[in-house]
Amino acid sequence: MPKSINPNYIGKSPEFDEIKQLEGKFDTQMSSQQININTSDVIPDISTNPLNIYVPSTFNDTTKVWEDYMGNNNSSSYRGSPSYTTGSSSNNATNITEWVQGNTSAGLRFSHTTCSSGYTGFTVTRYNGTEGRIWEGKSGNWLSGHWSGNCPVAYHEGWLTDQGDRAGTSWIVTVDQYNYFRGYYNGTSYGGTGGSNSNSSYWCLNAGDRAEDSDWACYGFWYYNTTLGTSDRDQVVSYIKNLVGIS
C-alpha cells in the first residue's frame, strides 16, 4: 500500500501532482481506484516493481525514518539529523520542490539492501556543500554517484568510471548495478562498467564507515532486488528523469 504524504509537506510534489479535489456526489469505489492511480506516479512503468521506493513525502521528519512507499522496508537507522526540506525548483531539476538533506554528520542506512550482486538501484542526489561521498557501502570500499567533489562516478571495490567531475552541484539521476553505473544530468550522461561483486555490505546515504562525508540533498532512491535488463533499466531512468525534470 503506498504511503500517505508527509504531514510537513505544503504544496505539490512531482509524485502527487495529479491528485484532484473530489466534489459533489461520487462512487466511493471509483474514487478509491482513481486515488490509487494518481498516487502511483513514483512507480516506474515496467513489469517488475521495485522492492522499495523512498521519496521526500515518505520521510518522517520526527523519527528520522525514511518510510518505504512500497510498504516493505523502511530505512534501518540514521545518524545526526537528516531533514525534510521544501523549496522552489532546485538547480537543474525543474520539478523538484522537496527533498531530504543532511550535513556531514547526518545520514541514513538501508540494511536490507546489498552492494554485491542481484540488485539495481536508482538515485536522485546532489552535493549541497562539503563534497565527499553520498551513496556508499556501510563497509569496504563502495560508492555510487559522488566522491571527493567528482560526479557522476562509481567505485565497487574497483573503479567503474574515471575520477572527473562533470555535474558539479547539479542533481543527477544514477543507475547502479554491481558491474554497471551511469549518471544522467543536464542533457547528457556518463558511466562505465567493471568493479567487483565482493562487497558484502549495504547501501548507506552518507552513513558508511569511510569518513569521507558530504553535505547532501536527496530526492529519491528506487531499489530493485534483481538485476534489471538493459531495456527495463533505461525505461526506469527515463521515468525518473521525467518525474523530477532532469533533461
Side-chain angles (χ1 to χ4, degrees):
M1 176 68 69
K3 293 291 183 180
S4 59
I5 196 165
N6 189 318
N8 297 311
Y9 175 67
I10 53 176
K12 287 185 176 181
S13 62
E15 69 267 23
F16 291 95
D17 189 56
E18 296 182 7
I19 296 177
K20 302 295 192 299
Q21 179 67 44
L22 299 174
E23 298 179 352
K25 295 181 179 180
F26 57 92
D27 183 287
T28 55
Q29 182 177 0
M30 289 295 292
S31 64
S32 175
Q33 291 171 350
Q34 184 63 43
I35 290 170
N36 285 338
I37 292 170
N38 287 335
T39 58
S40 295
D41 288 345
V42 297
I43 303 176
D45 189 17
I46 63 172
S47 59
T48 302
N49 277 342
L51 178 66
N52 316 112
I53 298 176
Y54 306 93
V55 287
S57 54
T58 65
F59 182 75
N60 189 316
D61 214 16
T62 301
T63 63
K64 306 304 180 185
V65 172
W66 206 336
E67 298 175 359
D68 178 12
Y69 184 92
M70 302 301 289
N72 293 319
N73 309 97
N74 296 339
S75 59
S76 53
S77 62
Y78 70 94
R79 68 184 187 103
S81 186
S83 61
Y84 172 84
T85 304
T86 61
S88 57
S89 296
S90 176
N91 286 40
N92 58 313
T94 58
N95 294 336
I96 290 182
T97 57
E98 58 170 354
W99 57 89
V100 177
Q101 68 180 30
N103 60 20
T104 55
S105 300
L108 295 146
R109 299 184 181 102
F110 302 83
S111 63
H112 68 281
T113 63
T114 182
C115 297
S116 58
S117 59
Y119 75 87
T120 310
F122 300 84
T123 70
V124 184
T125 319
R126 74 176 185 90
Y127 279 136
N128 200 29
T130 302
E131 298 180 349
R133 300 178 182 219
I134 298 182
W135 286 103
E136 57 185 327
K138 176 63 172 63
S139 60
N141 198 356
W142 187 100
L143 63 90
S144 180
H146 296 78
W147 174 75
S148 191
N150 304 298
C151 64
V153 296
Y155 187 95
H156 298 169
E157 305 297 336
W159 286 108
L160 288 78
T161 64
D162 67 23
Q163 295 80 64
D165 181 39
R166 293 171 170 82
T169 60
S170 295
W171 289 100
I172 60 172
V173 174
T174 69
V175 52
D176 189 292
Q177 297 170 330
Y178 89 85
N179 60 354
Y180 177 89
F181 170 85
R182 196 155 198 90
Y184 298 79
Y185 56 96
N186 302 327
T188 189
S189 68
Y190 170 73
T193 59
S196 167
N197 65 352
S198 63
N199 188 297
S200 60
S201 65
Y202 52 84
W203 288 62
C204 295
L205 179 53
N206 203 53
D209 295 340
R210 302 289 294 191
E212 297 178 355
D213 302 319
S214 295
D215 297 304
W216 53 272
C218 180
Y219 175 81
F221 176 32
W222 288 254
Y223 180 79
Y224 292 77
N225 57 343
T226 188
T227 303
L228 294 181
T230 301
S231 177
D232 281 347
R233 192 175 64 198
D234 291 347
Q235 286 184 65
V236 174
V237 166
S238 295
Y239 195 97
I240 295 172
K241 286 173 60 182
N242 183 66
L243 175 72
V244 300
I246 290 178
S247 62

